[in-house]
Amino acid sequence: MTSIRHICILFIVLLFSCASAKRTTILQLLPQPQQIKVETGLCHKLTKGNIVLSSIQKNRVNSIPEAKTNQEEAYRLQITPDSIYIEATTERGVFWAEQTLRQIVASSNGKAIPCCRIVDYPAFRIRGFMHDVGRSFISVPELKKQISLLSQFKINTFHWHLTENQAWRIQSRIYPQLTDKKHFTRFPDQYYTIEDAKEIADWCKKHKVLLIPEIDMPGHSEAFKRAIGVDMQSEKGMKVLKNLMTELCTEIFADVPYIHIGTDEVNFTNPDFVPQMVQHIRALGKKVISWNPGWKYQKGEIDMTQLWSYRGKAQAGIPAIDSRFHYINHFDVFGDIVALYNSKIYHSDYGSNDLAGTIIGIWNDRKLSSERDILSENNFYPSMLAIAERSWKGGGNEYFDKNGVLLPTDSKDSLLQSFIDFEKKLTHYKNTTFKQEPFPYIAQTHIKWLITDPFPNKGDLKTVFPPETHLSESYSYNDSIYQTHIATGAGIYLRHVWGKMIPAFYKNPQENSTAYAYTWVHSPQKQTVGLRIEFQNYSRSESDLPPPQGKWDYRESRIWINDKEVMPPVWQNSHFERSNEITLKNENAVSRPPITVDLKKGWNKVLLKLPVGKFSTPEIRLVKWSFTCIFVTQDGRNGVDNLIYNPWQKK
């Protein structure tokens, strides 16, 4: 892959020498192709942003010799002054070439597009997303929209987690009681008919997306037990399940190659259950996927495994899908996307027979009120664009284990420059392709903070330390010196939710500590703006309690702007008993309108107090020692223009 990187460097040089600045932007906005050469001239054939596919010359070839991996998805695209040519080994490759062409034309704003020759192929053959619709529900039109939008960025897999403890969401003609609302504990009457399922399968096929339906077994199956009256691992339960699999494989998903059977987080009471189910499904002509950790397989006993949690391990001879640190229901908007974009998929630059790729998962243990909230809360589309680029291009600089969620602080750092380029793509597509969609990410690479060494609060979270009386780059307290250190971004983890597995700002974070973060923000005018602020991003897999009224959290976090304290909103939830069935409301910054604040003309002081007690409490199971702080437009969708964040401006 080194030679490819050299080609990409050459590509940038060629762009500046052969194309105007606007045409440079057009091609740089693409998910980075593996090889590209810009040629002299413009193509005037397409000038209105509309592609007439019948006018494009498309040829099937036996191979794309330049493609190092995944020939079946590789393509060549050549744009000359008067013609457009596509070469690929399969219809899938042709489809990806068409998506690239669509992006080029759409970015041209109706003007002529630059002549170029692109050779492109994916580093990984599985590039996907998963929706847990057992715990939630996403309508057929919404799923189809997501599939079509993401296929434009060469996402090629949709993992459909159809069953859970809360509900069995796929219709069965032979066991209609499975979708009887009396057996649902969440969103009754919300399920997919057989016709719905076929419609999604056909839609995936049309968009060259692999559909992976999952029927979770034998765990996560309380809905099955309520409807059928027996456990899956019982003799009757296995008989019913085999009948269901026959119906699923032959009638509902007849053209789908894989069935996912779960097998995670369960006590196996019947040693014959998994081998018999795998054998039965394979006999129906399907390949089988299973979670790892889950049932333990030897080579040849399963067709693919999907890795979850840090304990998931790929096995030689069994293709693996990496989802270990890709559960975006635990992510925040600003920090985790950095790690996701930088990550090497399972420590690898590109896929192999044993490494298929990656799938991002959304697990909504916590009830959310709408499908739009699911997309907003989980920063869905920005995260998908990050994984679309990484899984197609390959590479990355780490596996969540070096810089983790931190942006580099040196403006000349190549990793920072790479993320800045990616951030420009996010901003572009937010305002074009995803203009009508939830897209919470806002450009953050220009934001700088100074953060103190942690002061020991001995469990008293209200203890006042020197930064509350004066700002400095170092402090003396109880005969010890406390320094400040620079941080970049709108969202900073002092300690990640997964602890030391994901590096964050403090290398060795300690409980009962208080940190301070501050910056100065220059506004070109006096203005009223929005403030997006939070101190405990609520994971969608947690039943955590809402903050106490009048407090930002259970840690005594506080924020001052120009020495005036900013108070939290009135929390819509006020319950005192943890429950996943109480809908998450305005606890998260993504869910609520921004706080209205005034900025004066000139420099504005921003100070945050960040105490922490225990890293797990009765109110919050997984304490995120973190903060999000960024000034936004009053509707919350965009950043405020022309602000300068500079913590060194005043002391």
Side-chain angles (χ1 to χ4, degrees):
M1 301 293 279
T2 301
S3 61
I4 293 172
R5 292 193 180 94
H6 290 163
I7 290 168
C8 289
I9 293 171
L10 176 61
F11 148 61
I12 294 172
V13 174
L14 286 168
L15 281 174
F16 281 97
S17 62
C18 300
S20 71
K22 181 174 286 294
R23 294 196 296 274
T24 299
T25 302
I26 290 170
L27 291 178
Q28 285 180 333
L29 286 170
L30 296 172
Q32 188 66 60
Q34 302 289 7
Q35 297 182 27
I36 185 168
K37 180 179 180 182
V38 177
E39 299 172 349
T40 303
L42 299 172
C43 177
H44 294 275
K45 190 170 185 176
L46 302 174
T47 59
K48 297 181 180 180
N50 298 314
I51 298 177
V52 181
L53 296 180
S54 60
S55 70
I56 300 170
Q57 299 183 47
K58 295 179 280 188
N59 297 316
R60 294 279 291 274
V61 295
N62 293 328
S63 68
I64 305 291
E66 302 95 326
K68 304 295 189 285
T69 61
N70 301 311
Q71 280 279 333
E72 68 279 3
E73 294 188 272
Y75 66 87
R76 292 193 196 98
L77 170 64
Q78 185 167 8
I79 301 173
T80 69
D82 57 4
S83 299
I84 298 173
Y85 303 91
I86 291 174
E87 292 181 323
T89 63
T90 66
E91 285 300 316
R92 215 174 192 189
V94 171
F95 185 80
W96 301 140
E98 291 170 355
Q99 305 319 304
T100 297
L101 183 56
R102 287 180 189 278
Q103 290 178 43
I104 294 173
V105 174
S107 299
S108 71
N109 295 319
K111 299 180 180 180
I113 59 179
C115 296
C116 60
R117 183 178 184 273
I118 294 173
V119 178
D120 209 0
Y121 55 92
F124 295 90
R125 63 186 182 275
I126 295 288
R127 309 177 300 279
F129 67 104
M130 185 223 73
H131 276 307
D132 166 19
V133 296
R135 293 181 177 92
S136 61
F137 185 80
I138 299 177
S139 66
V140 169
E142 176 63 31
L143 288 176
K144 289 173 66 176
K145 180 173 64 176
Q146 292 174 29
I147 291 163
S148 61
L149 282 172
L150 293 174
S151 69
Q152 296 178 34
F153 299 88
K154 305 180 179 69
I155 291 296
N156 72 347
T157 303
F158 171 42
H159 176 179
W160 205 7
H161 184 83
L162 286 161
T163 67
E164 259 300 335
N165 291 326
Q166 289 84 349
W168 185 284
R169 299 215 190 267
I170 181 70
Q171 180 189 18
S172 167
R173 289 197 174 97
I174 54 177
Y175 298 104
Q177 64 267 42
L178 284 165
T179 49
D180 189 317
K181 66 179 181 180
K182 68 183 179 183
H183 300 307
F184 286 29
T185 62
R186 190 183 286 183
F187 302 122
D189 283 333
Q190 302 267 32
Y191 66 90
Y192 303 97
T193 66
I194 291 174
E195 289 70 28
D196 289 337
K198 289 181 176 180
E199 185 177 350
I200 292 295
D202 289 343
W203 191 256
C204 285
K205 188 175 182 179
K206 178 181 178 182
H207 290 83
K208 304 302 183 282
V209 169
L210 171 67
L211 176 61
I212 302 177
E214 180 180 358
I215 304 298
D216 209 340
M217 59 178 84
H220 298 266
S221 56
E222 290 301 312
F224 175 94
K225 189 174 182 178
R226 289 191 296 271
I228 304 301
V230 297
D231 186 88
M232 280 186 175
Q233 297 186 72
S234 67
E235 182 178 352
K236 180 182 177 182
M238 288 181 64
K239 182 178 179 180
V240 170
L241 201 53
K242 287 180 179 179
N243 291 338
L244 282 167
M245 290 302 100
T246 299
E247 180 183 30
L248 196 81
C249 294
T250 60
E251 181 181 351
I252 303 175
F253 295 119
D255 294 331
V256 172
Y258 288 95
I259 299 294
H260 200 307
I261 64 169
T263 81
D264 61 312
E265 296 185 313
V266 65
N267 176 30
F268 294 102
T269 60
N270 183 348
D272 295 327
F273 177 85
V274 173
Q276 283 195 32
M277 295 311 303
V278 172
Q279 182 182 14
H280 180 74
I281 295 170
R282 280 178 160 179
L284 295 168
K286 304 297 185 186
K287 296 179 181 179
V288 184
I289 304 175
S290 179
W291 288 106
N292 176 339
W295 186 261
K296 295 181 180 179
Y297 300 96
Q298 300 299 316
K299 180 179 178 180
E301 293 179 345
I302 195 74
D303 298 290
M304 196 177 295
T305 59
Q306 187 169 354
L307 314 181
W308 71 280
S309 92
Y310 68 94
R311 294 174 290 125
K313 297 291 188 294
Q315 297 172 253
I318 304 176
I321 301 168
D322 182 11
S323 296
R324 301 196 307 166
F325 291 102
H326 296 103
Y327 284 7
I328 61 175
N329 51 282
H330 281 290
F331 284 14
D332 79 327
V333 171
F334 295 102
D336 290 280
I337 196 172
V338 174
L340 191 65
Y341 174 75
N342 286 335
S343 67
K344 285 191 175 187
I345 295 170
Y346 203 70
H347 306 280
S348 299
D349 286 323
Y350 50 90
S352 65
N353 290 336
D354 290 343
L355 180 56
T358 187
I359 291 175
I360 280 181
I362 301 178
W363 300 99
N364 294 293
D365 296 81
R366 183 67 178 265
K367 188 177 180 181
L368 293 173
S369 60
S370 72
E371 56 194 16
R372 193 171 182 88
D373 282 351
I374 291 172
L375 302 187
S376 295
E377 289 295 343
N378 292 289
N379 200 32
F380 177 69
Y381 283 120
S383 295
M384 287 309 305
L385 293 189
I387 210 63
E389 178 131 342
R390 183 57 59 226
S391 59
W392 183 273
K393 180 65 180 173
N397 64 291
E398 59 176 290
Y399 186 73
F400 300 92
D401 53 358
K402 294 180 181 177
N403 296 309
V405 292
L406 296 177
L407 283 167
T409 57
D410 183 352
S411 61
K412 297 180 181 179
D413 191 298
S414 61
L415 296 179
L416 179 61
Q417 290 303 315
S418 176
F419 190 83
I420 289 172
D421 290 342
F422 172 66
E423 188 175 70
K424 291 176 181 176
K425 296 181 186 182
L426 289 181
T427 302
H428 169 79
Y429 289 121
K430 175 177 183 173
N431 295 323
T432 54
T433 306
F434 299 99
K435 188 174 183 178
Q436 304 302 320
E437 303 304 317
F439 205 102
Y441 186 83
I442 295 170
Q444 62 167 331
T445 49
H446 61 295
I447 298 175
K448 303 292 184 182
W449 301 92
L450 284 178
I451 301 178
T452 67
D453 291 329
F455 295 87
N457 63 42
K458 299 180 181 179
D460 182 359
L461 304 180
K462 294 184 178 181
T463 303
V464 174
F465 296 99
E468 291 186 52
T469 58
H470 69 283
L471 295 184
S472 176
E473 292 185 22
S474 66
Y475 301 90
S476 176
Y477 179 78
N478 286 353
D479 300 322
S480 295
I481 300 298
Y482 295 83
Q483 303 290 348
T484 58
H485 310 275
I486 187 172
T488 300
I492 307 295
Y493 277 98
L494 304 182
R495 176 188 182 271
H496 197 269
V497 65
W498 290 323
K500 294 181 181 179
M501 287 188 292
I502 306 294
F505 186 79
Y506 292 134
K507 292 183 179 179
N508 187 29
Q510 301 294 314
E511 294 182 330
N512 298 324
S513 300
T514 297
Y516 292 85
Y518 74 86
T519 193
W520 291 85
V521 179
H522 186 273
S523 174
Q525 60 191 18
K526 180 181 179 181
Q527 56 182 322
T528 299
V529 299
L531 175 65
R532 202 151 141 191
I533 177 75
E534 68 175 337
F535 299 95
Q536 170 71 32
N537 181 278
Y538 279 66
S539 297
R540 276 61 68 187
S541 281
E542 300 300 326
S543 59
D544 298 331
L545 293 180
Q549 295 294 355
K551 302 285 186 180
W552 284 104
D553 54 24
Y554 287 91
R555 302 198 305 272
E556 298 293 337
S557 297
R558 300 172 72 183
I559 176 173
W560 298 267
I561 297 178
N562 295 325
D563 297 318
K564 180 181 179 181
E565 186 166 8
V566 179
M567 302 305 294
V570 175
W571 304 116
Q572 293 172 324
N573 276 330
S574 58
H575 55 280
F576 297 100
E577 183 176 343
R578 287 175 53 174
S579 171
N580 276 327
E581 300 311 309
I582 297 175
T583 305
L584 184 67
K585 293 183 179 175
N586 72 336
E587 293 95 317
N588 269 18
V590 180
S591 302
R592 64 177 180 262
I595 303 294
T596 300
V597 297
D598 293 322
L599 293 179
K600 63 185 181 181
K601 182 178 181 180
W603 291 101
N604 296 264
K605 175 184 173 184
V606 182
L607 173 65
L608 283 72
K609 182 177 184 177
L610 306 162
V612 70
K614 300 296 183 182
F615 293 142
S616 182
T617 71
E619 300 86 7
I620 305 291
R621 187 178 78 89
L622 300 173
V623 171
K624 292 185 177 179
W625 194 14
S626 64
F627 69 89
T628 292
C629 184
I630 183 172
F631 293 105
V632 297
T633 52
Q634 293 188 59
D635 64 4
R637 184 167 175 86
N638 298 301
V640 178
D641 291 337
N642 302 317
L643 296 185
I644 300 172
Y645 294 74
N646 184 351
W648 299 282
Q649 176 59 29
K650 293 188 177 182
K651 299 179 183 179

